[in-house]
Amino acid sequence: MKLQLIRSATIKLFFQTCTILVDPCLAPKFGIYSYAGISKNPLVELPMPLEDILGDIDAVIVSHLHSDHFDSVARQIIKKDIPLFCQPDDEAKIRELGFTDARPVQESAIFRGVEMRRFYGQHGHGSVLEDMGIVSGFSFKAEGAPSICWLGDTVLIPAVEKRLLEEMPDIVVAHSSGAVWGSERIKIVLDEEQTVRICALLPGSRIIATHMDSLDHGTVTRKQLRAYAEGHSIAPEALIIPEDGEMLTL
C-alpha cells in the first residue's frame, strides 16, 4: 500500500481495494483565518491540483470538524454522496452539510476489505479541552498491507499509549507540530518530545510525522523534529518526516 501526505494533516491512503482521503483541508494558501494571531492559514499552497487529490478517492474520513481537518472548501467540493466516515458526535452536523452517506463509526467498520477501528484522543489539556471538543483517531487493517494507527489530533495520554501497545501497529501516523491554543499556549497535539517517546515505545514500528510547517499555531517544524530525533538516536527510517505531496510506499 501507499500513503501520501497532501498537506498538514491531510493524507491519502492507497489500499489495494480502495483509496481513502483523511481529514481534507483543501483551502488555498491564507484561505483560513489565523489560529494564533500570527498569519492566516494554511501557510503553504497545496502541492497538487484539487482534481488530483479528489479524482481517485473512494471514501473520506473526518476525525473531527475543526477547520484545519474539514474546511469550507472540502465541505463544498467533495461529492455529497461519497461514503464519509466520522465519529458519532459529528454525524448530525455532517448530514446538515449535505453529505448523504455519513457513516459514524462507533468502534469499527469495514469498507472494501479495509477494517477501520476508531478511538478517542485528547486534544490538549486542562482549560482548552472545552474549546477543542471531542476528537478521534483511526486504525486500519487490510490483507497484504501493514497495520496503521493514525492518531489524529491528540496529545500522548496514557489511554493512547495503551492503545498503541495493544495494537503494536506497523505504522503510526502522528500529528507532531506541537500546535498551541489560547493565551496560555497549551499544546493540543504531539510535540517533538512526545513523538520521540512514541518511537521509543514502539521500536519495531515506523512513525510518520505530519501536520507540520503549515499552520500558524504550530511550534515544531520538520527541521526541529529531525534534529531532536537525531539527538535521541532515532534513525531516519524509524521516524519518517515526509514533505507535502510526498508518496510513501509502505
Side-chain angles (χ1 to χ4, degrees), residues 205-244:
S205 303
R206 285 178 288 172
I207 315 305
I208 300 174
T210 66
H211 212 354
M212 290 176 288
D213 297 328
S214 53
L215 301 172
D216 75 329
H217 64 336
T219 65
V220 180
T221 66
R222 290 178 173 97
K223 184 177 179 180
Q224 289 169 331
L225 177 59
R226 177 60 69 203
Y228 186 88
E230 289 176 352
H232 289 76
S233 302
I234 304 298
E237 58 268 24
L239 176 59
I240 302 167
I241 308 176
E243 298 294 328
D244 293 350

Side-chain angles (χ1 to χ4, degrees), residues 188-201:
I188 56 175
V189 297
L190 304 171
D191 59 11
E192 66 270 64
E193 185 275 330
Q194 291 189 339
T195 303
V196 165
R197 204 191 315 167
I198 293 173
C199 295
L201 188 70

Side-chain angles (χ1 to χ4, degrees), residues 48-110:
M48 62 195 73
L50 286 170
E51 52 267 29
D52 291 349
I53 297 171
L54 300 176
D56 58 351
I57 61 171
D58 301 298
V60 173
I61 293 178
V62 172
S63 65
H64 63 299
L65 296 178
H66 289 173
S67 57
D68 57 327
H69 295 263
F70 193 39
D71 69 345
S72 60
V73 176
R75 297 178 188 202
Q76 291 171 8
I77 69 173
I78 290 175
K79 293 186 298 183
K80 293 299 187 290
D81 61 348
I82 198 166
L84 194 157
F85 296 88
C86 61
Q87 52 185 6
D89 314 82
D90 294 337
E91 179 190 5
K93 177 62 176 179
I94 287 170
R95 288 193 178 277
E96 286 177 11
L97 293 169
F99 291 90
T100 59
D101 196 3
R103 302 187 186 189
V105 180
Q106 296 292 340
E107 293 185 1
S108 64
I110 295 177

